[in-house]
């Protein structure tokens, strides 16, 4: 057996730990839409070949097992393990039926439970994972900075939790992301407009986060929120302001050189002008001597 689908039933109690012990080669585990309670058993991590685990819409509690980051099946090339089967998966905001291509769905779906704690950073160890749905829980902490490693991610649901902090700028590099939901959390800061984020123009993606600002929300950012760096910009490329400053100093230097050598060249070539210039300098120096130096000398003698 490589798939186990017990979804959409009325099973109750705790998820039996023996599933992970007796079915180590399982590829797909779906227990969604039941009445399972308690914590997610760590024994599920023994099924290292899993490429899809769906326990959404149950009554599970506790933390997300950090060992989910060790599920090697989520890092394998799906083309290397084709198989037949079909399964309903809640992905891209709706319920989808996967038939012949079910092996292409690589993901972790834990939405609609009562899970607490922070999002384990180990979940970002699966660069081939295309679906991660943790919405409608009680997760806290911040979005892991390493989430940018999920390069194949198409669906990312983190809505209706208690996640705080800013949206990692690296998420803009998830260019395959087509469905994103960060609504109803405690996120703050400026919403990125770089790369893929420029396509997320639906405000409902971000609503319920009073601290978020910027497009597509009507909440404008204040001066305290700096613009995020443009991920497309070449680090060796100078900005327009840098070009403006460079041009100013270049023109200043050229102007000084032209003015200085223009005057000097004229005085060297035109003897009459040179004599007149030095007479003027001498006359002006005598005037300064009479106006400032002599009164100062008289004042010193008077004081003595």
């Amino acid at each position: 057996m490589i798939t186990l689908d017990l979804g959409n039933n009325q099973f109750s109690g705790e998820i039996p730990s023996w599933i992970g012990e007796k079915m180590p080669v399982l590829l797909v585990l779906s227990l969604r839409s039941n009445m399972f309670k308690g914590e997610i058993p760590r024994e599920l991590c023994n099924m290292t070949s899993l490429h899809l685990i769906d326990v959404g819409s149950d009554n599970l509690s506790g933390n997300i097992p950090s060992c989910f980051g060790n599920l090697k099946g989520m890092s394998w090339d799906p083309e290397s393990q084709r198989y037949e089967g079909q399964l309903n998966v809640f992905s891209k905001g709706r319920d989808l039926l996967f038939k012949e291509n079910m092996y292409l769905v690589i993901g972790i779906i834990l939405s609609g439970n009562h899970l607490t704690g922070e999002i384990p950073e180990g979940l970002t160890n699966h660069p081939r994972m295309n679906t991660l749905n943790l919405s409608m829980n009680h997760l806290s902490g911040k979005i892991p900075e390493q989430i940018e490693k999920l390069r194949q991610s198409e669906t990312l649901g983190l809505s209706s939790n208690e996640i705080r902090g800013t949206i990692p700028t690296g998420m803009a590099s998830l260019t395959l992301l087509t469905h994103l939901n960060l609504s109803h959390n405690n996120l703050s800061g400026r919403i990125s407009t770089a790369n893929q984020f420029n396509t997320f123009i639906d405000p409902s993606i971000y609503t319920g986060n009073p601290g978020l600002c910027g497009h597509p929300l009507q909440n404008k950012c204040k001066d305290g929120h700096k613009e995020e760096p443009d991920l497309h910009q070449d680090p060796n490329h100078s900005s327009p302001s840098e070009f403006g400053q460079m041009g100013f100093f270049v023109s200043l230097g050229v102007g000084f050189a032209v003015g200085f050598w223009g005057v000097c060249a004229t005085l060297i070539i035109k003897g009459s002008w040179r004599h007149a210039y030095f007479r003027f300098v001498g006359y002006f120096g005598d005037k300064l001597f009479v106006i400032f130096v002599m009164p100062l000398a008289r004042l010193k003698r008077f004081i003595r």
Side-chain angles (χ1 to χ4, degrees), residues 40-223:
I40 300 174
R42 270 52 179 174
E43 286 78 6
L44 296 186
C45 297
N46 294 333
M47 298 184 290
T48 57
S49 299
L50 276 178
H51 70 81
L52 176 62
I53 177 170
D54 185 354
V55 292
S57 300
D58 279 300
N59 293 309
L60 300 172
S61 58
N63 297 340
I64 299 174
S66 59
C67 57
F68 275 5
N70 302 327
L71 298 176
K72 298 178 181 179
M74 296 193 178
S75 300
W76 293 343
D77 181 2
E79 294 292 342
S80 65
Q81 51 181 12
R82 289 190 175 211
Y83 59 89
E84 294 183 358
Q86 66 178 35
L87 184 70
N88 282 87
V89 178
F90 189 80
S91 180
K92 300 182 181 180
R94 59 189 187 276
D95 212 26
L96 300 177
L97 176 61
F98 290 88
K99 295 182 178 180
E100 293 83 4
N101 58 351
M102 188 176 71
Y103 64 93
L104 294 176
V105 184
I106 303 174
I108 297 176
I109 303 173
L110 309 177
S111 57
N113 284 288
H114 306 287
L115 300 174
T116 56
E118 298 186 359
I119 301 173
E121 192 166 321
L123 295 186
T124 65
N125 291 341
H126 310 302
R128 293 185 182 273
M129 184 163 62
N130 48 47
T131 299
L132 177 61
N133 193 348
L134 308 178
S135 295
M136 294 180 288
N137 281 289
H138 302 288
L139 300 174
S140 57
K142 298 182 178 181
I143 300 175
E145 290 290 337
Q146 298 299 317
I147 201 165
E148 63 185 68
K149 292 163 57 178
L150 302 180
R151 299 291 184 181
Q152 301 296 317
S153 182
E154 300 175 8
T155 297
L156 179 59
L158 302 176
S159 64
S160 300
N161 280 288
E162 300 166 19
I163 302 171
R164 57 182 172 81
T166 58
I167 301 173
T169 56
M171 285 179 60
S173 64
L174 302 179
T175 55
L176 298 181
L177 194 62
T178 57
H179 184 81
L180 173 68
N181 196 342
L182 302 176
S183 63
H184 301 289
N185 280 289
N186 295 314
L187 297 171
S188 59
R190 181 184 294 271
I191 298 172
S192 174
T193 55
N195 295 343
Q196 198 70 359
F197 273 84
N198 196 38
T199 66
F200 298 133
I201 59 176
D202 184 358
S204 66
I205 294 174
Y206 308 104
T207 55
N209 293 282
L212 282 181
C213 63
H215 183 77
L217 296 178
Q218 294 183 352
N219 184 21
K220 303 301 180 182
C221 293
K222 299 179 181 179
D223 294 338

Side-chain angles (χ1 to χ4, degrees), residues 253-268:
V254 172
F256 174 78
V258 171
F260 177 78
W261 287 110
V263 173
C264 290
T266 302
L267 294 178
I268 293 173

Side-chain angles (χ1 to χ4, degrees), residues 4 30 101 215 275:
L4 178 60
S30 177
N101 58 351
H215 183 77
H275 296 154

Side-chain angles (χ1 to χ4, degrees), residues 280-295:
F280 171 77
V281 172
Y283 172 78
F284 189 70
D286 292 340
K287 281 289 186 181
L288 290 177
F289 180 81
V290 172
I291 294 173
F292 294 105
V293 178
M294 291 184 65

